[in-house]
Structure formats: C-alpha cells, structure tokens
C-alpha cells in the first residue's frame, strides 16, 4: 500500500488557514496555493536519488552531492491543478509539465479525458500528479489510470486537502502511488465537497464564482 504523508508543518498549516477562509480573494488565494505547493515540493522530493560529484570550492577540492539524472514530470489535473504548478517549478525548474483534462460524463458519471498532453518519455519519469482537492478520488484515480495506460510506472499524488474517502479510493485503485497532502479533512458533503475544505478550488483560483 502506498504511504500517505500529511505535511503538517506550521508554515503550511498557517497558509492553509488563509486558503480555507472564504474572505480570502483570488489574488491572495493563488499566491498562497503557490507557496504551499512550493513547501510541499520539498517533502515530495525527499527520496530523489543523489550522486556525488567532484567540485572545487575557493578553498579545496571536495566531493559533493547533486540530484542524479532523475527526470521529473509535473502533471496538473485541469483546471485547479494549474494553481500548484508554479510553486513546484520554482523548486524543480527542470521538470517537464504534462496536462490532463477530465470531465464527468453526466450519464455514466465516469471521468472522461478531454485533454492530455504529456512529456514523450513519460515511462522514464517520476510523475507528480497535482490536484488541490482529493474529494471522491474519481479524478485522481482516472488521471493515474490514463498515465499508466501511457506507460507511466512511477507516480506520486500531491493534494492540498483530502477527504478520507478520496484517500481510500486512490489507495484501493493504485496501491503503488504515494499520496502527499497538507491536510486530511473530516468528510464529503452530499455535493461531494470536502468539509470543511475550501470550497471550489478552481473557482477560487480563477475568480469564476
Ligand atoms: N473539488 C473542489 O474544488 N472542492 C471540493 O471540496 C471538492 C472537489
């Protein structure tokens, strides 16, 4: 079973409080989501392999470590995942960015892919799927399915807020995927919103409500 890492660092908790607050406007909301994504990038990359190289400081020759050739891919789920991309790229500027767009078929209620543009070498990359809200887990599970269908085999999921139901759904469908979240909330309501959550992440990021 993949692990669930809850990144409850004081800085993240503090910023998440203002992200949740309904009186926080889009400009500040975007800024805070970017900052939390950047702080989370620190933990989600903790196990990246290192290699030793020789360098010369102004004082002496020495051996020192750099991240070894690991290729990263950041995969935001449209549209709310876009809000987390810039923060990730601030720390991981060499990562490639792929996009997945999904909608829910009104009749079957199944997620349908309407857009997918990925790095060509997706099977060689460690992929970090971004979606601020892990609610039912339907979108995340479907996005990970689509990535695996295209050969991806090393996938992490990074969300701001998760409902227990969403974590369970992803773990069941994808036991190989580790899940990184800033908070696990109480439950889903009847409209599949996370409670207490932050409302609709896409609307709050893009001011569409
Ligand atoms: N998506 C959101 O944006 N918010 C939720 O609470 C659940 C899903």
């Amino acid at each position: 079973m993949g692990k669930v890492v809850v990144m409850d660092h004081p800085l993240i908790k503090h910023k998440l409080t203002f992200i949740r607050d309904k009186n926080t406007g889009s400009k500040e909301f975007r800024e805070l989501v970017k900052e939390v994504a950047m702080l989370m990038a620190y933990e989600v990359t903790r196990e990246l392999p290192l290699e030793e190289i020789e360098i010369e400081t102004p004082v002496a020759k020495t051996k020192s470590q750099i991240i070894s050739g690991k290729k990263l891919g950041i995969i935001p789920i449209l549209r709310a995942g876009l809000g987390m991309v810039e923060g990730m790229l601030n720390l991981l500027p060499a990562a490639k960015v792929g996009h997945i767009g999904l909608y829910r078929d009104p009749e079957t209620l199944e997620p349908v892919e309407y857009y997918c543009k990925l790095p060509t070498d997706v099977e060689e990359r460690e992929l970090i799927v971004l979606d601020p809200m892990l609610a039912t887990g339907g979108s995340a599970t479907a996005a990970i399915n689509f990535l695996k269908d295209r050969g991806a085999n090393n996938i992490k999921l990074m969300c701001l807020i998760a409902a227990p139901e969403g974590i369970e759904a992803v773990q069941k469908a994808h036991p190989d995927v580790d899940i990184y979240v800033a908070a696990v909330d109480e439950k889903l309501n009847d409209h599949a919103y996370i409670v207490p959550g932050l409302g609709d992440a896409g609307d709050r990021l893009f001011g569409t409500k």
Side-chain angles (χ1 to χ4, degrees):
M1 186 66 74
K3 63 182 171 183
V4 178
V5 180
V6 183
M7 278 175 257
D8 52 359
H9 188 283
L11 281 175
I12 292 180
K13 281 186 165 170
H14 176 87
K15 289 177 191 297
L16 205 51
T17 297
F18 294 97
I19 288 175
R20 289 180 186 280
D21 189 334
K22 69 175 185 181
N23 295 313
T24 300
S26 284
K27 181 173 183 290
E28 199 186 344
F29 186 91
R30 273 196 297 276
E31 195 63 29
L32 288 162
V33 169
K34 181 180 84 179
E35 288 170 2
V36 171
M38 195 161 74
L39 292 167
M40 293 179 81
Y42 182 81
E43 191 61 34
V44 86
T45 52
R46 178 176 286 283
E47 286 157 24
L48 282 181
L50 293 167
E51 65 180 289
E52 209 164 61
I53 60 167
E54 278 197 18
I55 55 161
E56 222 174 315
T57 75
V59 180
K61 280 190 176 167
T62 187
K63 289 186 174 140
S64 196
Q65 291 180 320
I66 59 167
I67 291 168
S68 74
K70 193 82 197 169
K71 295 172 164 185
L72 291 174
I74 297 169
I75 317 287
I77 301 179
L78 301 179
R79 79 189 148 133
L82 292 175
M84 299 166 80
V85 173
E86 197 184 334
M88 293 291 281
L89 286 177
N90 281 349
L91 283 195
L92 307 165
K96 294 245 159 75
V97 183
H99 296 84
I100 293 186
L102 305 168
Y103 69 88
R104 189 173 291 275
D105 184 295
E107 273 164 29
T108 66
L109 301 181
E110 290 297 316
V112 180
E113 181 186 302
Y114 68 85
Y115 186 78
C116 184
K117 182 82 181 173
L118 301 174
T120 48
D121 53 356
V122 87
E123 67 287 345
E124 291 166 25
R125 290 184 180 268
E126 175 170 329
L127 302 181
I128 305 169
V129 175
L130 305 178
D131 196 354
M133 307 302 276
L134 180 58
T136 62
S139 303
T141 298
I144 295 167
N145 276 335
F146 294 135
L147 292 172
K148 288 183 174 174
D149 288 347
R150 289 168 171 90
N153 53 45
N154 187 351
I155 302 172
K156 291 182 163 61
L157 173 65
M158 186 175 128
C159 308
L160 295 188
I161 301 178
E165 295 91 328
I167 292 176
E168 200 182 314
V170 173
Q171 282 190 317
K172 194 163 166 219
H174 298 291
D176 56 311
V177 171
D178 291 338
I179 304 172
Y180 293 77
V181 296
V184 180
D185 277 9
E186 210 179 299
K187 59 176 183 183
L188 294 178
N189 69 13
D190 293 343
H191 304 284
Y193 275 86
I194 298 177
V195 182
L198 54 72
D200 187 298
D203 281 345
R204 295 200 58 195
L205 277 166
F206 300 113
T208 44
K209 207 171 172 195

